[in-house]
Amino acid sequence: MKISAEKQKEMLWTMLLSRHFEDELTELCKIEGKIPGMMILSTGQEAVGSGACAALEPEDVIITNHRSHNHLLAKGADPNTLMAEIYCKRTGCNKGKSGTLHLAVPEVNAPCTSTVVGAGPPIAVGRAFAQQYKGEQRVTVCFFGDGAAAEGSVHEAMNLAALWRLPVIFICENNVYAGAQRYEEHAPNPSMADRASAYAMPGEAVDGNDALAVYQAVREARERALAGEGPSLIECRTYRCRGHGEADPQHYQPKEEIRAWKEKCPIPRLRDDLLAQGLITAADVQAMDDRAEALVKEAVRFAEDSPYPSPEEALEDVFA
Amino acid sequence: MQKLGMGQAVNQALREEMHRDPNVFIAGEGVGVSIHLNPMFPTHGLLEEFGPGRVKDTPVSEAAIAGLAVGAAEAGLRPVVEIMFNPFFTLASDMIVNHAAKLRYLSGGKSTFPLVVRMKSGAGFGAGCQHSHNLEAWAAHCPGLKVVMPATAADAKGLLKSAIRDDNPVIFIEHMGLYFAPMPVPENDYLTPIGQAEVKRPGTDVTVVTWSGMLGVAMAAAEKLAQEGVSVEIVDLRTLVPLDKETILTSVAKTGRLVVLHEATRTGGFGGEIAAVVMEEGFNLLKAPLRRVTGPDIPVPASPPLERFYIPDDEQLITAIKEIL
Ligand SMILES: Cc1ncc(C[n+]2csc(CCOP(=O)(O)OP(=O)(O)O)c2C)c(N)n1
């Protein structure tokens, strides 16, 4: 499949934006009391969300998990309101109810970030069912981790989706770790993609640091889903460069392993690919990088300047 | 006396019980190798001491963890499993509610299920409502489960040792806010009985019944009120099931007034149960209507001012006490 220059540039752009956004969060977390709660980043995994979301249309839906910033930015969420929510400010996309962990951005069809591990897939099934029910030519993508794949809910969701041929794409982001447990300590089958055969659906493992490969796999799965052929499982093999949270000393991750994966960083990889294809110039890349940096600075300024919600606002939004 | 955070006290109880009884094992997500390289956390160092045969790191599978406990307990082992946060009780609840709690009864008393499910609870960490949700009333509503919620590190040690030796399923909820404040803990092997409340501060004007993370709030309020000449008696339940009605009623008989204080949301909260017990069995002891001070009926929000609004504080308790004095 030929991937348009525009799409390739879009992927590079959302990866750069995510990286700046999350690098900034790493710095902000070092400042005592600035950002409440846990801070869980997807540094090094950007090819997955950026590649997958580039393969979607705005009306397609994503359901994501605790490692959501890249997924949401790639789906088009506004960095300002996202950052303000991470700061727990009133102007945040969830008015301070969520903080960084359960960011919900329904305006870009990203209605649910669940931090309950394994909860995304069944919800994605429901969202895909609604798409099928209404006769929409739309799909739902669900991002979940290799650790989440151990939850019964993930099996149940895949079984139902396959049975009803729902237009859902399960994307397992295999970043080698679940908490402090290495993949082989929590999953007996070295291939997560293999699982698809149990539900008679297509399953494919792709290089999760190759945005183009992720894009391609998702695009094909989307076409199958729209043709009424039901769900697919795509395992994206990547690596968690930072800890489970910013407070995690990563004592269980071999330093060598982290270094080796950092060398496989998905951002220079796509950049060099685009340069080699002659689709962009070094100056274009610099301009993109500068713009991403400026947008993130602006988002931080917006968040810093925003007020906290007043205490009684805690009582709002419980019922419709 | 040694001073320990509640997590360290739990750690000591686990270590001592594992040495005492080879049937005790622990399991859960990261109970062995944890992202928290932190000696304040409850299972720190146990893998090194007891090995992977008895310290079982599991996949992220709450139903499997709870089921493991049920099956292993029936076979005579004494599992102490960890469900990382109280809200994830929902994922373990079929195994706990429909099986751990009922199988003894279903077997006509032939089988026993000596298992402990430990969970962290409590707001105050900016983590938001999928990590902070106190569900003790759910567990208490389920016959066949004992429910323990210590408020001090010393009680956590003594109660956990009792829970491990108890032949019934015990839900053991630790407030994360208590992990980091060192408190005196006896060094010897002692058991704190399950089902016995304790008067943590004697007083004569009003009884405050509370448990877990709210004991500190009650103590702070009592301290302030003492300066105004009001004498508050604080009853720390320690165990919700079985409920020590006697200690509550004895205290209410002495003071004639009652305020129940808990962090969990109000509607259907365990405070309602205590209110009902006192109305049914101690109505004549009351000189004034009783009061509840609780979290509001909302999920716990992440934003600091909203989260602070959620958590009951000493000023709210003082207001409630003054209303009935
Ligand atoms: C039901 C549930 N159990 C446990 C947790 C605690 N927890 C948060 S993330 C995580 C590991 C998840 O690993 P994985 O799905 O591989 O995602 P990753 O963090 O690697 O992206 C755990 C155990 C949780 N949030 N929800």
Side-chain angles (χ1 to χ4, degrees):
Chain A
M1 191 197 298
K2 174 116 179 59
I3 307 175
S4 75
E6 278 322 299
K7 276 292 167 198
Q8 297 192 46
K9 284 192 244 178
E10 179 188 324
M11 287 182 244
L12 182 61
W13 163 247
T14 62
M15 280 200 275
L16 282 169
L17 181 61
S18 305
R19 180 63 64 88
H20 275 289
F21 194 87
E22 292 203 323
D23 280 353
E24 184 67 33
L25 288 172
T26 294
E27 291 309 310
L28 290 166
C29 282
K30 293 178 186 155
I31 307 170
E32 180 78 18
K34 181 129 294 215
I35 311 248
M38 271 179 276
M39 178 55 63
I40 299 180
L41 303 179
S42 58
T43 314
Q45 302 178 210
E46 293 90 346
V48 179
S50 292
C53 289
L56 302 180
E57 300 300 324
E59 296 80 5
D60 292 328
V61 172
I62 66 165
I63 304 291
T64 163
N65 65 359
H66 54 278
R67 219 174 280 283
S68 69
H69 301 146
N70 163 251
H71 305 153
L72 296 170
L73 287 167
K75 193 71 176 71
D78 170 21
N80 284 6
T81 57
L82 222 48
M83 187 63 84
E85 184 60 37
I86 293 167
Y87 266 80
C88 290
K89 297 294 184 77
R90 176 192 276 147
T91 53
C93 52
N94 309 120
K95 304 184 210 163
K97 305 289 191 339
S98 163
T100 179
L101 279 184
H102 348 59
L103 299 156
V105 195
E107 56 275 26
V108 298
N109 288 312
C112 173
T113 294
S114 180
T115 76
V116 181
V117 168
I123 295 169
V125 161
R127 206 60 176 73
F129 174 76
Q131 289 164 329
Q132 186 190 61
Y133 191 88
K134 294 185 191 172
E136 294 171 358
Q137 282 292 296
R138 300 295 165 214
V139 303
T140 299
V141 161
C142 179
F143 297 101
F144 61 100
D146 49 293
E151 291 282 7
S153 55
V154 178
H155 299 272
E156 295 180 32
M158 287 188 190
N159 190 53
L160 189 59
L163 194 64
W164 291 355
R165 292 183 173 267
L166 297 175
V168 51
I169 303 170
F170 298 103
I171 298 186
C172 179
E173 211 158 340
N174 181 351
N175 61 8
V176 186
Y177 289 91
Q181 270 61 57
R182 273 185 77 82
Y183 183 89
E184 55 270 27
E185 292 166 14
H186 70 75
N189 186 335
S191 167
M192 201 52 84
D194 266 10
R195 248 185 222 197
S197 66
Y199 309 106
M201 66 164 128
E204 183 185 357
V206 302
D207 179 345
N209 280 26
D210 179 354
L212 300 178
V214 175
Y215 174 91
Q216 188 118 337
V218 174
R219 198 73 203 170
E220 284 162 15
R222 185 175 186 275
E223 273 161 27
R224 283 195 297 273
L226 294 183
E229 290 172 35
S232 302
L233 170 61
I234 301 169
E235 175 187 2
C236 296
R237 294 190 176 151
T238 181
Y239 190 75
R240 200 186 74 196
C241 287
R242 297 204 63 80
H244 182 65
E246 285 302 276
D248 172 359
Q250 299 179 275
H251 54 101
Y252 50 88
Q253 279 174 278
K255 298 273 168 297
E256 254 321 296
E257 183 182 85
I258 301 178
R259 196 167 320 124
W261 276 93
K262 277 190 175 158
E263 276 165 22
K264 293 193 254 178
C265 181
I267 298 178
R269 178 167 175 174
L270 181 61
R271 179 198 63 203
D272 293 348
D273 201 335
L274 281 163
L275 288 168
Q277 293 179 65
L279 295 178
I280 50 169
T281 64
D284 294 336
V285 175
Q286 189 59 50
M288 273 179 158
D289 203 52
D290 292 346
R291 191 167 146 244
E293 193 180 340
L295 279 182
V296 170
K297 288 243 167 337
E298 164 56 23
V300 170
R301 196 172 320 121
F302 176 77
E304 296 261 345
D305 291 349
S306 294
Y308 281 109
S310 62
E312 295 72 26
E313 288 173 43
L315 299 172
E316 296 170 4
D317 302 319
V318 179
F319 289 113
Chain B
M1 204 184 291
Q2 58 177 348
K3 288 204 154 186
L4 303 178
M6 185 180 280
Q8 292 170 296
V10 165
N11 186 279
Q12 203 167 82
L14 289 171
R15 176 172 280 119
E16 289 177 14
E17 290 306 297
M18 289 178 80
H19 277 301
R20 191 190 55 80
D21 181 353
N23 286 320
V24 178
F25 74 94
I26 68 172
E29 297 155 20
V31 295
V33 181
S34 157
I35 59 162
H36 303 287
L37 196 59
N38 186 339
M40 302 303 273
F41 278 72
T43 59
H44 185 83
L46 297 179
L47 176 66
E48 290 69 22
E49 190 163 343
F50 296 99
R54 293 180 72 193
V55 178
K56 309 297 293 179
D57 270 327
T58 67
V60 193
S61 318
E62 286 74 14
I65 294 167
L68 170 83
V70 174
E74 203 274 339
L77 300 184
R78 292 191 169 264
V80 186
V81 298
E82 178 174 308
I83 300 295
M84 214 177 259
F85 289 95
N86 200 169
F88 312 151
F89 179 60
T90 54
L91 286 94
S93 59
D94 171 54
M95 284 298 136
I96 304 301
V97 173
N98 293 321
H99 297 89
K102 293 176 184 165
L103 285 176
R104 178 178 166 77
Y105 189 74
L106 277 172
S107 72
K110 290 181 188 163
S111 305
T112 56
F113 296 86
L115 63 94
V116 181
V117 181
R118 293 182 36 249
M119 295 185 274
K120 290 198 277 281
S121 83
F125 299 90
C129 59
Q130 289 184 339
H131 283 71
S132 302
H133 192 170
N134 292 347
L135 292 171
E136 68 263 27
W138 288 28
H141 191 56
C142 183
L145 300 178
K146 295 189 176 180
V147 182
V148 177
M149 281 184 93
T152 68
D155 283 348
K157 178 177 168 186
L159 283 163
L160 182 57
K161 287 163 82 76
S162 294
I164 291 170
R165 299 185 200 185
D166 197 294
D167 280 335
N168 298 286
V170 180
I171 306 298
F172 193 90
I173 304 177
E174 297 153 21
H175 197 292
M176 241 199 318
L178 302 170
Y179 277 7
F180 308 103
M183 295 178 258
V185 177
E187 263 147 74
N188 59 317
D189 171 32
Y190 61 95
L191 298 176
T192 306
I194 290 178
Q196 259 182 35
E198 186 177 64
V199 175
K200 286 281 194 311
R201 178 185 170 113
T204 50
D205 296 330
V206 57
T207 297
V208 172
V209 170
T210 192
W211 55 93
S212 187
M214 285 291 111
L215 176 64
V217 170
M219 287 293 198
E223 206 55 52
K224 285 188 188 170
L225 283 169
Q227 277 153 32
E228 299 178 32
V230 179
S231 167
V232 180
E233 174 146 306
I234 298 175
V235 175
D236 171 12
L237 279 190
R238 304 197 290 194
T239 304
L240 307 195
V241 181
L243 180 62
D244 180 359
K245 296 180 188 179
E246 199 183 312
T247 299
I248 300 170
L249 291 166
T250 304
S251 177
V252 173
K254 183 170 150 196
T255 64
R257 294 182 172 82
L258 173 67
V259 180
V260 187
L261 169 69
H262 61 67
E263 186 187 304
T265 51
R266 190 177 191 83
T267 302
F270 199 73
E273 179 62 26
I274 295 163
V277 164
V278 172
M279 293 306 279
E280 282 182 342
E281 300 181 32
F283 183 68
N284 295 328
L285 306 173
L286 288 171
K287 297 182 203 151
L290 55 83
R291 286 275 183 274
R292 284 180 291 164
V293 176
T294 69
D297 284 333
I298 58 173
V300 177
S303 189
L306 306 187
E307 193 183 37
R308 275 196 297 277
F309 177 85
Y310 174 87
I311 302 170
D313 66 14
D314 52 351
E315 290 304 324
Q316 280 166 275
L317 180 58
I318 288 169
T319 304
I321 289 171
K322 285 185 173 168
E323 276 170 15
I324 58 169
L325 274 179

